[in-house]
Amino acid sequence: MSDPAEFATHTQEQAVASWVSYLNQLRIDNLLSTLSRQDEHLRDALTSVDEAIRRIDLEVVAANRGGQHGMHGFIAEIAEVGIGNARRQITGHEAVYQWVNDNGPVDLLRGDVEIQQKFVAAGGRFSLGAIAEHLQKYPDYVHNGGKYQVPVIISR
């Protein structure tokens, strides 16, 4: 390798190979970091779902909260909180849903938004009728920024 042109070519090839190796290592490090964050997000999401299931079991089913005609509504509220938070957490966002659980005009919060969820299909009262009843009891609910939410039932 006494030829200066050959030496320069060889040195340039080594520099390119070193740069490619460095870029590949950056890509691998980035991939491993991303996979680690995904694992963390999945753990957070599964924790939210597990907590919702635990609350449903203990605070609704075991306590017979709402009885035969109202239990499904409480289950829907807690499920909405658990699943809503899990959906956000799986993409790396913070949990924003909270179950209010005070039998007042608000069932849950999504950030600062107050939500009254109506999941009714008993006694001839359906969700829209339950909303009308709620509005009679709390006429300023919507005016004060409250929202109504009717969960969708998907059956197969």
Side-chain angles (χ1 to χ4, degrees):
M1 211 186 299
S2 57
D3 180 20
E6 185 181 328
F7 177 76
T9 299
H10 184 69
T11 303
Q12 185 178 23
E13 287 170 350
Q14 285 182 335
V16 169
S18 181
W19 181 249
V20 168
S21 178
Y22 172 74
L23 290 176
N24 283 336
Q25 188 61 50
L26 283 178
R27 289 182 182 121
I28 290 169
D29 291 347
N30 187 37
L31 174 63
L32 292 175
S33 175
T34 300
L35 291 173
S36 176
R37 284 193 309 272
Q38 283 181 345
D39 286 348
E40 183 180 324
H41 299 328
L42 178 60
R43 270 191 303 276
D44 292 344
L46 290 174
T47 297
S48 287
V49 171
D50 288 343
E51 175 65 14
I53 291 169
R54 187 193 67 73
R55 290 187 89 171
I56 289 168
D57 285 343
L58 295 176
E59 298 178 38
V60 179
V61 176
N64 196 30
R65 179 127 185 237
Q68 183 178 358
H69 298 292
M71 186 181 292
H72 66 281
F74 291 112
I75 292 170
E77 292 169 11
I78 297 170
E80 183 70 33
V81 169
I83 293 169
N85 283 334
R87 282 182 174 153
R88 291 186 51 79
Q89 290 167 316
I90 200 78
T91 60
H93 295 94
E94 293 292 316
V96 295
Y97 287 85
Q98 288 181 310
W99 188 37
V100 175
N101 191 23
D102 67 358
N103 290 329
V106 177
D107 289 333
L108 50 111
L109 297 171
R110 184 176 51 235
D112 293 333
V113 178
E114 296 179 344
I115 298 172
Q116 172 62 224
Q117 182 164 280
K118 290 300 179 190
F119 190 72
V120 179
R125 289 179 50 230
F126 293 101
S127 295
L128 293 177
I131 290 172
E133 270 184 37
H134 187 268
L135 277 171
Q136 287 177 351
K137 189 172 182 180
Y138 304 102
D140 292 333
Y141 181 73
V142 174
H143 177 72
N144 292 334
K147 305 287 183 194
Y148 287 100
Q149 181 170 293
V150 177
V152 176
I153 302 170
I154 300 173
S155 62
R156 293 181 183 228

